[in-house]
Each structure stands twice: as C-alpha cells, then as structure tokens.
Amino acid sequence: MKGTYLGEFEEVVLLAVAIRSGDAYGAAVTSEIEQQMGRSVNLGAVHSALHRLEEKGLVNSQMGGATAERGGRRKRLYSVTIAGKRALEEIHQLRNQMWESIPKTAWS
Amino acid sequence: MATPHLPRPPHWATRLLHGFCADHLVEEMEGDLEELFHQRVQIMGEKQARIRYVLDVLSLIRLFVLKQKVTEYSLLPNSIMLRNYAMIAFRNLVRQKGYAFINIAGLAVGMTVAMLIGLWVYDELSFNQYHQNYNHIARVMNQVTDEQELHIGNSLQYPLAVELKNAYGDQFTHLLKASWTQSYILSHGDAKVSKIGIYIEDGAPEMLTLKMLRGTWAGLRDPHSILLSESTAKALFGDKEPLNQFIKINASIDVKVTGVYEDLPQNTEFHEIQFFAPFDLWVSMNEWIEKRAVNDWNNHFLRIYAQIKPNTSFETISNTIKDTELDKIKNLEGLQEQVAHHPQIFLHPMSQWHLYGSFEKGIPEKGPVQMVWLVGIIGGFVLLLACINFMNLSTARSEKRAREVGIRKTLGSLREQLISQFLGESYLVVIFAFCLSLLFTQLSLPWFNGIANKDMHMLWGNSWFWLTSIGFIGITGLLAGSYPALYLSSFHPVKVLKGTLHIGRSASTPRKLLVVLQFTVSVTLIICTIVVYQQIQFAKNRPVGYDRKGLITMEMKSADFYGKYDLLRTALQKTGVVTEMSESMGKVTEVTSGNGGFNWKGQTQNQDKDFGTLTVTPEHGKTVGWQFVAGRDFSRELASDSSGMVINEAAARYMGLKNPVGEPVSWTWSQSQKIKQYRILGVIKDMVMDSPYEPIKPTLFYIQGFNGSVSWINIRLNPRVSTSQALSKIEAVFKKLIPTAPFDYQFVDQDYAKKFAEEERIGKLASVFALLAIFISCLGLFGLASFVAEQRTKEIGIRKVLGATIMSIWQLLSKDFVLLITLSFVISTPLAWYFLNNWLQTYEYRTHIYWWIFAVTGAGALVITLLTVSFQSIKVALMNPVKSLRNE
C-alpha cells in the first residue's frame, strides 16, 4: 500500500528534507545527503524519491524563487507534511524500540 | 559578479534533457543540475563535474519525468464537460441538417451494402457446415488421363465400392454407396408430389447429422423404408402422423415412412434432396444393376460418400487408396484400355465441394471462388466510397469550427481534450450510421435473398459478425475523425480568433484525390454493369433454331407412361388444344447424351469426337419446330425411317459433307462391336440446346425402338387456344390415362430462360451496387459542392456586384468538379476494358465491348455531376449579393 512503507533511500531523502527545512530542493537535498553520508548520490534518484514521497503525501512542494547560481531557474521547494513527520517519528520509535529489545548478552 | 570564464555543462546533455523531460518539470531539473554542476566544479574540477552532469541527466530518464505525462490534470472529461460535448455535437448535427443527412445516410447505405455482401460471402464460405461431420466428410472421385488430359468425375463402379470397403474399411467411419439424385413421384392416397431424392446406404443420416423430427437415424436399415424432409411429409400427409405410413415411389414400390427430418438449409449441397431411401431398394428397382453393373469395372454409375476416422486426414487416405482401381483391373481381361488411362481414386473433402466443386482438365475451376472474392471486393469498394464521403465532408466542414477551437483553447482546453472531442463526435455519427445500417440490412434481406437466390439470416448471435463490426466502426471513426481532430486542435488560438487563419489550397488536394477515386470506382462499376447486361441480352437474343413459345415438356417418371404413346397422342390431339406431341430421350433444352463411334464417308483420322445424340419419336420435328436446311423430316409412314437420321448444321459442318442428305452413317458400339447403319434424311438449322454461350454441338437425331428409351414428353399447344384452357384439358387427359403421375410440366421458354439465371443474378447485383455507388458518390459530391459554394459566398457576391453573370458563376463553380470527373473517367476506361475483356473471354458466344458504352457512361457521369453541382452553384449564383456581403 502506498504511503505505509518507506524505502531506505526514501527515508534518507525525507530526513534530508526535514534537515534543510525551508530550503529543501533537488540539488540541496542531493548535496545534503552527500555531505551527511559521505557517498555520492544521483540527482535522478533523489528526484524520483521526492516525487514518490509527494505521491505518498509525505512531502509538499511549491515553486520557489530563482537564484543566479542555477542560471536564473526557479527551484521546487519541498517541505515535510504532518504525515511525513509522523512517518519519520514512527520509524525512529520503531528503531529505538528494537534497540531496547536487544539482550545485553548479544554483544558478549 | 560576472566571471570571465564560467564553466558550462555539456550543451548536448542539456538538450537531451529537454528532449525527454516533461515541460512542467524541465525548469527545476535543469536548475538543480546546473547548481550541482557548479558545486562540483569547485570540489572535483570541471572534467569530473561534466561527467557527473551527464550521468545525472541520464539517471533522470525515469517514468515520471518523461513527456507522456504532460499534465497533472485528468484528461478524462467530467460529466459537465461531457454534457457540453454532447450538446455541441448534437447542435452541430441539427444546425447542418443536410450535411448530417448526407453523412449518416451515405455511411449507412455503404455499411448496409457491405453487410449484405458480408452475409453473402459468409454464406458461401460456410457452405455445408450444417453437417456436424463437415470436416470429415468427402466424396470419392476418380481421375483418368485421356490423351494427356486429366478428367475428373464422381461416377464410380460398383466393384470399386466393394473393394474399398474390403481393403480400407477400417479407415472410414462411413463408406456409403449412393445413387445419383433424381426426381421421383411420391404418392400417398390422392396426394402426389414430385420430389428429388437419393438412395443411399444406412449410415447416411448419421454421417450428415440429419436433425430428426420423427423416427431415428436408423430409419434406413429396412430396405423398404424412407426418410422424408419435413416439407415433403407435410405435402403428403398434411397434419396427419406420417410415421409408419406407406407411400409409393413412382406409383410402383411401397415403402414405409420411418423418419422425418428437418429441411436442410439452402447452403448445403444436399439442399435439393427431399427424401433419403435405402440403397438396396434402388438396386432392387433397377434390374440392370444386378445383371450388368455389380461386377463390371467399366460401368460408372455410382456415387460413394465417405466419412473418415477423426485421427486421419484426407490426404493420407487419398494416398493409400489411389491405386485401388488400377491394382484390381490390371489383372482383369478386357480392361487394358482402362489401365492405359491410369485411373486414380481420391477423396474430395466436403469443404471444397461448393467453391472448388467443378473441375476443368483436372484442376478445380476458379469461377465460384473468384466470384465470391469479386463480389466481396465490390462490397469493400462501396463501403470505401461511403467512408471517403464521410472523411471528405468531415474535414471540409471542420474548418468552419476553427473559431470554436480557438475559444476552447483560450479557455484552457488541452489539445488532447480537443482531439477526444472531435474523435468522439465522429464516433457518434459512425455508431448512429451503424445502427441504421443494421435496420436497413434487416429490412432489405428478403429482397436480397430473392436476387441472390439464397436464404440468409442476420447473424445476431455470431461473435465474428460483432467483432468485424466493432473493428470497422473503430477504423472508420478514426479515419474520418483523425484529420479534423489533429488538424483543428493544432490551430493557434490567437490566429484563429483574429481571423487571419488561411487554409491553404493544398488542404483540398486529398479531397480531390478521393473524389477522383470515388468516381473511378463508380464509373468502372457502371461500365461493367452495362456490358454484363449486354452480354445477357446478346445470348438471350441468339437464334435458338426452334419455336420455344407454346411448347411444354414433362418428364415421364412413372412406368405407366410407357407403351401409351399412340394412345396419348391421339387423345391429346382430339382435345383440339394440342397440335402435336412427341417423345424424346432428353429435354428440349439440353443435350443429355453423347456418343462416339460414328463413321461416315470422307471421315479423317482425327475426327472421332463425340456427337450429341437424341432418340426421338417421328413427330419430334413437327412438335419442336425444326427448320430444315436440306432434306426432310422423319415420317411415320416410311418404315425405313427407323434407320434414318436427322442432323444439325454443326454436325454437317463437322462431318465435312457438302450434300449430306442420303449419305450413310454407321455407328459402332464399342463394347459389343455391334454396327448399325443409318442414312441421313435431313439437315436442320442449329438449335441452342446446351449453354447459350457455347458453340453448338454437332448433334444427331434418330428413331430407335422408342418405347422405354425415351423419357420426356413434348407438347405443342394450339396457338389459337388460351394457355390456361389448354393446360386444364391436357391435365384431364393425363389424369385419365396416367393416373399415377402428377401433371408436372415445364414451359420450354421458361426452362430456357433458366440458363441465364446465373448471369442475370450477377447482372442484377452489379447494377444495384453500381447504382448505390454512384448514389453515394453523388451524395459526397453534393456535400462538397455545397461546402465550396458556401466558402466562396463572399467572392461570388463581389463578382456579382462587379457584373458577373449567373452563367459565368456556374461555370466557375462547376469547372473543378467536371475536371475531376473527366480524370476519373480517363482512369476507369482502360481498367473496365481490361476486366471486361477478361470476363468475356470465358464465353465462346460473346458480345463486343462497344465504344459507345464508354461514351454513354462518361456522358452520364458528367451530366449527373453537373446536376449535382449545379443545384448548389445556381443557388449561390442567384443569391442577392447584398445578403452575402452584409455581414462584417
């Protein structure tokens, strides 16, 4: 079902949108991920992830102003919706809960 | 902050992006790409950044960026827009009533023709499929090589049937001996009917899957039984129970009705057969079979029908059985001549009986199949004409709606929506026309059945019919709708609304081409119709050489006839309504028998062709109306005339006799070497007895112990008595003298007319189609002319103000069309000539293709065109210029 499942890359992109809140667009998200994770990502992959997230209703978008560094072209600014925020929280909580469940003996 | 050298991303990659990326996405994509590029130039240098840029562009080729999804809006119109479209379509139809009528009626007529022809083709192709074992039934045929020529026939020998059954019986489900089909008198009490029947072995009802209404398939087991068709049973018994009743065949043999089956439909080979009787009964009725035929490999008189086992094929069995006859007869004495002819046996599958049923020199004749395809093609053409009209008118009219397109576009209609609107409108018309054509077809089917001599029904339950129809609707709607849809939706709204849109001259070129095509087809069809008609008339008017009028003929089906010749003749002459009567071996309108073995003085080596031969009574000449060229007729008084002979001119010519009268002719029967001597008494004018299209066969007439060897009675009516009166008196005589037979007569002139039935059928069909073709074409022309006239209303107004006469305006508007029609006439003339010449070659006795046929057709087409176009052009020319110029 659409909207109920977040892929790993989608999660990363959604987190990046949240981090760059107010200034999240394709190129910014791409460089954010590259900086944070130290790996190079495809612009195409980021765009399709953003598109999917938007279809799932986890992010919103609107056209933003033009800047000189992109040759005067406008950018599409993304922001996390309430549903997106909740999805992130759920994942976070799920992970924590799983961490908690690891028995101490597992590491020894 | 302008930098002198700013690194640029690879230009081609950007262009690639523009190539595939949807318009509403391209700005942000390009911006992102460029921003990242500049960042990367700083970090990893220009070269790396360029590579990454290209990789990013390539990685952007994803479904959601691709062009096909141009919009986020739904392309499916909502209900309000749908209502609006429907209303616009309806208003357009109503406002242009004439145009709508031409469009819908023309298309409906074309579809009706196509549908009727489709039914006909289907009927022909599905011939015999009534029988459920259709795919496994065959008839056994034989083939002999005679002087390098293959002859194929289905008359087989009795011992062959026995041999096939003994040697290969396990390969067949049924292998049935059968008689030829013939007409018999069936009687029950006072009810007498004459019906065609077949004597066949027991398995036939099962093989042919007769639908039994009473009794069972086992009804032929008892040798004195009979199965009747429903209509025959009705004719004999009315509403009484037919089962287990006794009836008489030819007033002599009693048989019990053991079954009644549903009448066979018209499109089966066995349609004419009205009863099935046991084969053994036939054998017992005909002494000669037991006496002479059962062991004679030389007596071909039998039909053999077979149903093969499902796990084998006709080819396999044909290959197995082909030498059955040869293997058997090569060891028998006296059959060496037959061996030399290399007789071979093969199976002829039921699926080929109808369309590949007759053979010419061993090869199936193409005639019937070609006929089916030819008619199919004509139907296709008529339909094409209607479609062309539809397309032409839709495109012509569509230009008037440019303004609507402009407004819709400025109000935000997408091109896709416009396309679907126009396509939808064209489908609406096509579907409406289709429904009309269903109605037309249903209504005209009885009439069409009459012309085609068939019994066809609408195929409401046939999935192929619906699939074809849906396919056709799809294609026509698309063809007719696509041009306006694509062309109109491409208009620039500003230009259209400003009124500066000019539709170039080239826009009407395809329309002109289509008009030429239409008229080429129509004119060709008309020329063909006229020539077919001419050919029929030509053959009909061929001198027949005897007097057809007032001559009636009847077959002697009952044994009661024989030995009563003199009695009948005097009784009939006494009534005063009959001037003369004779008996003959064959019908007046047919040469039924042929014989070789004649010798005469001056005969050359290679003159050994078969003559047509006819046994007659001495009064035959007087009855039929022979016209003597030389010599005299038979005479009753001269006993020596029993070895006399009357020959026709063709025979005299063939024999090469200058003075044939008195010449001796000897006749040797090959089997017995008996020789009989004849003397020629007279020569008569050639009589058309066979096909009126073929040269006349050399024919010999002679008298030979005529009781028993003659089977037709010919009666010449007294011309001074009314026919109905004469017939009732003759009937009375027959009732008294031969009470067992129904008075079942034919008029010779009607019988002769039947020879033209096939050609007349083609002629009628062709003329109907030709008329419809020209009608449809003229409808289209009328529509186009009115369109052109309307387009040029203003121009004509100005011309009139400046002093143009009505005549000159009429000329102006008609000139173009006349040119087009002339062009199509020039194209169709050689085309028609070629086809017709080929067709006429198949007849020996044929008419010429006269030049005036072309002239008349050409002139006719021109006149019709002018009439069609003039109506519009004169209307426009007469219009008050004030009116046409007042607007704007």
Side-chain angles (χ1 to χ4, degrees), chain B residues 515 519 523 774 777-778 781-782 785 810 813-822 824 857-873:
Chain B
V515 168
F519 272 81
V523 170
I774 195 91
S777 307
C778 284
L781 207 58
F782 183 77
W810 175 76
L813 288 173
S814 309
K815 197 181 65 193
D816 270 4
F817 289 106
V818 169
L819 257 172
L820 293 182
I821 304 315
T822 314
S824 44
T857 316
L862 209 61
V863 169
I864 292 178
T865 310
L866 282 179
L867 283 179
T868 314
V869 176
S870 298
F871 178 76
Q872 286 300 327
S873 40

Side-chain angles (χ1 to χ4, degrees), chain B residues 160-185:
Chain B
L160 176 75
V162 176
E163 182 61 28
L164 277 178
K165 199 148 205 166
N166 288 343
Y168 308 107
D170 56 327
Q171 311 238 23
F172 298 96
T173 315
H174 293 293
L175 195 63
L176 309 174
K177 295 193 281 287
S179 71
W180 58 77
T181 57
Q182 200 184 326
S183 152
Y184 296 89
I185 300 164

Side-chain angles (χ1 to χ4, degrees), chain B residues 100 120 189 371 380 535 628 644 728:
Chain B
W120 189 77
M371 181 68 193
Q535 167 70 1
F628 277 87
S728 67

Side-chain angles (χ1 to χ4, degrees), chain A residues 25-28 30-31 34 40-45 47-48 51 55 63 69-76 78, chain B residues 8 14 24-36 38-40 52 55-56 59-60 62 64 69 72:
Chain A
Y25 56 95
T30 309
S31 34
E34 279 181 357
S40 70
V41 282
N42 254 328
L43 184 67
H47 267 293
S48 71
H51 186 82
E55 275 190 339
M63 292 305 281
E69 58 189 336
R70 29 197 302 130
R73 294 183 193 87
R74 297 193 299 162
K75 45 196 174 194
R76 183 178 291 277
Y78 290 89
Chain B
R8 304 292 313 157
T14 316
H24 68 292
L25 291 173
V26 79
E27 186 174 9
E28 56 175 292
M29 299 283 170
E30 216 184 332
D32 283 351
L33 279 167
E34 195 166 334
E35 191 179 331
L36 281 178
H38 290 304
Q39 280 175 22
R40 284 175 185 143
R52 289 290 301 274
L55 286 178
D56 274 341
S59 79
L60 271 171
R62 280 159 199 264
F64 78 100
K69 204 174 174 188
E72 286 130 71

Side-chain angles (χ1 to χ4, degrees), chain B residues 64-83:
Chain B
F64 78 100
V65 285
L66 292 188
K67 277 220 155 143
Q68 74 224 77
K69 204 174 174 188
V70 250
T71 171
E72 286 130 71
Y73 310 113
S74 161
L75 278 177
L76 287 175
N78 56 29
S79 59
I80 296 170
M81 280 316 279
L82 267 181
R83 268 184 60 195

Side-chain angles (χ1 to χ4, degrees), chain B residues 16 27 73 152 167 210 235 238 344 388 416 457 461 484 572 667 730 733 776 791 795 835 846 856 859 865:
Chain B
L16 178 68
E27 186 174 9
Y73 310 113
I152 284 177
L210 297 181
Q344 287 206 333
I388 288 175
E416 284 71 16
H457 303 283
L572 283 174
W667 184 9
I730 296 169
V733 171
I776 292 173
Q791 242 189 356
E795 174 195 336
F835 285 131
R846 57 176 180 254
V856 165
T865 310

Side-chain angles (χ1 to χ4, degrees), chain B residues 827-872:
Chain B
I827 299 173
S828 62
T829 306
L831 219 70
W833 189 85
Y834 173 79
F835 285 131
L836 288 169
N837 200 35
N838 274 358
W839 179 71
L840 282 179
Q841 293 301 322
T842 59
Y843 297 104
E844 289 281 347
Y845 190 78
R846 57 176 180 254
T847 179
H848 294 288
I849 308 175
Y850 297 101
W851 65 268
W852 59 261
I853 296 173
F854 293 94
V856 165
T857 316
L862 209 61
V863 169
I864 292 178
T865 310
L866 282 179
L867 283 179
T868 314
V869 176
S870 298
F871 178 76
Q872 286 300 327

